[in-house]
Amino acid sequence: GAVVSQHPSRVICKSGTSVKIECRSLDFQATTMFWYRQFPKKSLMLMATSNEGSKATYEQGVEKDKFLINHASLTLSTLTVTSAHPEDSSFYICSATGPGGPQHFGDGTRLSIL
Amino acid sequence: KQEVTQIPAALSVPEGENLVLNCSFTDSAIYNLQWFRQDPGKGLTSLLLIQSSQREQTSGRLNASLDKSSGRSTLYIAASQPGDSATYLCAVRNTGNQFYFGTGTSLTVIP
């Protein structure tokens, strides 16, 4: 089946650091990738939708300068949390989908900002 | 805007019982509906995908139904096992390529 690889699985870093998370579709071309944030015991909150080769569409309330998303190829999207602060600590999950197909999720990244 | 609700929020059953999880959505103009499983601290695993033209999908002990006109889907789990313990999420995809997730049902199967 379709596989999405998300890396790293866990990051612990100091406040003020920028952190990059990668999301790769390993065996299919992902025309669209999604980035979600999940708070403890809550459902997924969509942060942004990125289509290959174009700028990401951010959901209301998500700072685009804070959460930089790049989707340069059909198999890779990155999320960079710039100048991270403790309130950015969360579980971030990406998903990828082809035209009309199901979403395939990565295993998530646990981000902890000290 | 599409709103997706799952009932119950939490469910605890003894091993071997059959159970039903519910998902409702407010806008029936959907492209498909997908059921996922999430284990603690992990990503989501796709269980079943139902296209808008379909009524149900089955995989092993799982059966998902879709009634688009009434905005409802159910996930039926037969002969539950402790390994089924997880959070179950439904998500609808609208025709504009947007996904909306439900609030999830936390399932505990007691040995």
Side-chain angles (χ1 to χ4, degrees), chain A residues 12-108:
Chain A
I12 302 173
C13 57
K14 293 181 179 179
S15 184
T17 307
S18 291
V19 179
K20 180 184 283 188
I21 303 170
E22 291 188 350
C23 182
R24 294 181 185 271
S25 57
L26 299 184
D27 55 358
F28 69 101
Q29 293 186 329
T31 50
T32 306
M33 286 187 170
F34 302 88
W35 287 96
Y36 296 87
R37 182 172 180 174
Q38 188 176 35
F39 294 97
K41 297 185 179 181
K42 297 290 185 182
S43 190
L44 280 70
M45 180 191 79
L46 179 65
M47 298 175 65
T49 302
S50 77
N51 294 298
E52 184 265 339
S54 61
K55 289 184 178 180
T57 301
Y58 289 81
E59 295 298 302
Q60 192 172 11
V62 178
E63 300 175 58
K64 59 180 66 176
D65 294 331
K66 175 75 170 177
F67 300 98
L68 300 179
I69 292 172
N70 182 279
H71 190 169
S73 76
L74 284 170
T75 59
L76 174 65
S77 176
T78 61
L79 167 67
T80 301
V81 183
T82 61
S83 187
H85 292 284
E87 59 266 27
D88 299 323
S89 298
S90 193
F91 192 58
Y92 294 87
I93 309 177
C94 73
S95 73
T97 183
Q103 284 194 87
H104 301 283
F105 282 81
D107 283 339

Side-chain angles (χ1 to χ4, degrees), chain A residues 32 34 36 38 43-44 46 49 51 59 91 93 97-103 105-108 110, chain B residues 1 31-32 34 36 38 41-46 49 51 89 91 93 97-99 101-104:
Chain A
T32 306
F34 302 88
Y36 296 87
Q38 188 176 35
S43 190
L44 280 70
L46 179 65
T49 302
N51 294 298
E59 295 298 302
F91 192 58
I93 309 177
T97 183
Q103 284 194 87
F105 282 81
D107 283 339
R110 173 73 58 194
Chain B
K1 182 183 176 182
Y31 190 80
N32 60 39
Q34 201 167 353
F36 296 90
Q38 185 177 30
K42 299 291 185 181
L44 276 67
T45 301
S46 179
L49 170 71
Q51 300 293 349
L89 294 158
R93 181 177 189 168
N97 199 33
Q98 294 169 302
F99 290 86
F101 277 85
T103 45

Side-chain angles (χ1 to χ4, degrees), chain B residues 1-16:
Chain B
K1 182 183 176 182
Q2 180 75 273
E3 292 184 6
V4 183
T5 305
Q6 289 184 245
I7 295 173
L11 181 64
S12 183
V13 300
E15 182 177 3

